[in-house]
Amino acid sequence: MNNNFNEVEKARSFSSILSLIIIGVLSIVLILLALWMFFYVKSGLSPADKGNTKTKEIEIAQGASSTQISEQLEKEGIINNATIFKLFLKFNNYNDYKSGQYDLSPSMTLDDIAKSMEEGEVYKPVLFQIAIPEGYTIEQIAKKVADKTNITEKDFINKTKDKAFIKSLQKEYKGMISDDVFGKSVKFPLEGYLFPATYDFTEEKPSAETVIKKMIEATYNNSYAKYKSLNNQMTYTFEGDSKKMSFHDLLTLSSMVEREATSLADRAKIASVFYNRMEIAPTSMPLQTDPTVLYALGEHKSRTMYEDLEVDSPYNTYKNKGLTPGPIAAPGIQSIDSVIEPATSDYLYFLADKEGKNHFATTLDEHNENKAKYITNE
């Protein structure tokens, strides 16, 4: 009886040990398989040769499938793994490939390759960048471009005034550029329409037209996209009458906020001041914003003088009520947002102290107190 019991126990013990060995082996196999899969996928997602920027001409045939394209690119040494690339295209919704010849490099990322084929653009390395800060005017942008390219300031500015060129932009970017830009009082037709951003250039000597179109397209994809999402329902009140806010108006008011703002937090409050002033009926208050005066003068000053306020110009918001004929600078997205969603306030005045902090007031007496406290130190 005892012998039989011992035999059963031995068999059970052996079975348990065998099970543990099998589980251990399977665990090791699964770990090794997981590691292999990780490095397999990582290798497939990485550039084929990060240090090799030499391009190769690849012909993508009309109607080629993602499988055919993936296998072709692997064979040519542009990617590491056809299967991984095919899955990458699928999971990132790249499904519209344009036939033609592409200059592709083993150093390119899968995303760069996919975008090139989807957009029909030949990949080229970035040769230089142009950074356009928020609040820059056409003249300031022209100087930035001239510093980085062989385009002169004069040629750049002249191109932004070229009516035939602007008409072509109106056709290409439908709905964004209205005939308001051709108003006789407008200083620069495309002022405010050149989006502030950092631009990559793959051409050594781009034309003024190429540079401007890049900036116009960025406005179309950013500021105008926001405006369009509102379904043209934006309105504002001027002297008691409700008016539709066009995209031109939005850029104009946003540019004033951009030039007045000293911090991101105050933009919505500044926008509310401008709205409140225009809304007063039966006769609104002038916006009285110094940057419009400086724009009219064509000067960049740290301080506006009383005699400056007398400049005879439709851009002088001390002499003229409502919006200026057009933008006075290139507004950034934060300023656009502040005009789309201004703060709710009764403020009619604001000023910036010597540290750049804004102080808001609802009455002229409060405003004068702020002026005495923060500006004249009386």
Side-chain angles (χ1 to χ4, degrees):
M1 201 66 184
N2 286 334
N3 288 337
N4 289 338
F5 179 78
N6 289 335
E7 289 297 325
V8 170
E9 283 300 308
K10 285 180 181 179
R12 285 178 180 174
S13 178
F14 177 77
S15 178
S16 297
I17 293 169
L18 185 61
S19 296
L20 288 172
I21 291 171
I22 292 171
I23 291 170
V25 170
L26 286 175
S27 298
I28 292 169
V29 169
L30 288 173
I31 290 169
L32 291 173
L33 183 61
L35 286 171
W36 178 83
M37 282 295 295
F38 172 77
F39 288 110
Y40 176 79
V41 173
K42 184 180 179 182
S43 173
L45 291 173
S46 301
D49 186 353
K50 202 169 185 179
N52 183 4
T53 58
K54 187 176 180 180
T55 59
K56 183 183 289 189
E57 193 172 278
I58 306 294
E59 177 78 26
I60 302 298
Q62 182 74 37
S65 67
S66 60
T67 299
Q68 291 170 324
I69 293 171
S70 299
E71 290 173 353
Q72 180 184 358
L73 294 179
E74 182 181 344
K75 184 179 177 181
E76 295 285 353
I78 301 300
I79 61 173
N80 282 325
N81 190 298
T83 303
I84 296 296
F85 185 65
K86 183 182 174 181
L87 291 171
F88 175 85
L89 294 176
K90 182 178 179 180
F91 287 116
N92 288 280
N93 295 316
Y94 286 114
N95 48 36
D96 183 19
Y97 321 115
K98 294 179 174 61
S99 61
Q101 292 183 335
Y102 294 86
D103 285 338
L104 302 178
S105 159
S107 65
M108 293 171 67
T109 64
L110 300 194
D111 200 44
D112 284 335
I113 296 168
K115 282 179 179 176
S116 293
M117 294 189 303
E118 189 171 67
E119 296 171 8
E121 294 181 357
V122 174
Y123 172 84
K124 293 179 182 176
V126 174
L127 299 179
F128 65 94
Q129 294 179 318
I130 299 178
I132 307 300
E134 296 169 343
Y136 259 39
T137 64
I138 285 276
E139 291 174 311
Q140 290 174 305
I141 293 172
K143 188 175 187 313
K144 272 275 187 180
V145 171
D147 288 343
K148 288 281 189 173
T149 69
N150 63 333
I151 304 166
T152 66
E153 292 179 49
K154 183 179 178 182
D155 286 345
F156 184 86
I157 290 172
N158 285 342
K159 197 63 184 178
T160 67
K161 294 178 178 180
D162 185 334
K163 193 167 185 177
F165 174 54
I166 296 170
K167 287 284 187 184
S168 72
L169 294 175
Q170 285 181 313
K171 290 179 182 178
E172 188 169 352
Y173 302 97
K174 294 187 184 300
M176 185 176 77
I177 306 172
S178 68
D179 284 341
D180 288 332
V181 301
F182 298 124
K184 67 177 183 179
S185 298
V186 172
K187 193 173 181 181
F188 295 109
L190 294 183
E191 188 76 86
Y193 286 82
L194 306 184
F195 192 73
T198 297
Y199 296 92
D200 295 336
F201 290 89
T202 57
E203 297 176 59
E204 191 175 343
K205 296 180 180 180
S207 65
E209 184 173 320
T210 297
V211 175
I212 293 166
K213 282 186 73 172
K214 263 184 176 285
M215 297 176 181
I216 289 289
E217 185 167 358
T219 297
Y220 188 80
N221 292 332
N222 291 277
S223 309
Y224 188 61
K226 274 187 173 286
Y227 177 77
K228 275 185 70 177
S229 70
L230 303 171
N231 295 316
N232 297 321
Q233 296 301 309
M234 276 196 77
T235 60
Y236 67 102
T237 303
F238 181 64
E239 300 191 336
D241 294 328
S242 179
K243 294 181 176 292
K244 180 179 179 299
M245 180 168 278
S246 66
F247 183 62
H248 188 74
D249 294 335
L250 175 62
L251 286 181
T252 299
L253 188 53
S254 300
S255 70
M256 295 183 199
V257 172
E258 186 69 61
R259 293 301 295 243
E260 279 282 15
T262 54
S263 73
L264 292 177
D266 289 339
R267 290 171 201 247
K269 287 183 183 178
I270 292 172
S272 76
V273 170
F274 291 150
Y275 276 122
N276 291 342
R277 283 186 163 232
M278 288 193 291
E279 188 174 347
I280 295 172
T283 176
S284 70
M285 295 174 67
L287 297 185
Q288 294 181 319
T289 171
D290 290 0
T292 63
V293 173
L294 298 178
Y295 186 79
L297 292 168
E299 297 181 33
H300 302 287
K301 296 182 176 182
S302 58
R303 188 176 177 186
T304 309
M305 310 304 289
Y306 283 114
E307 56 266 27
D308 295 333
L309 306 183
E310 297 301 315
V311 61
D312 185 17
S313 167
Y315 283 91
N316 184 350
T317 54
Y318 280 83
K319 286 195 167 188
N320 304 284
K321 295 179 180 179
L323 300 176
T324 52
I328 61 170
I333 284 296
Q334 290 88 353
S335 292
I336 295 281
D337 286 341
S338 73
V339 172
I340 291 174
E341 294 187 46
T344 301
S345 81
D346 295 322
Y347 296 136
L348 291 172
Y349 305 88
F350 70 92
L351 58 81
D353 61 26
K354 293 174 184 178
E355 279 71 47
K357 183 180 178 181
N358 287 308
H359 302 273
F360 296 84
T362 56
T363 68
L364 181 58
D365 286 343
E366 290 175 2
H367 181 62
N368 286 334
E369 287 175 12
N370 285 340
K371 192 183 292 185
K373 183 175 181 180
Y374 299 109
I375 304 298
T376 58
N377 296 316
E378 292 177 1

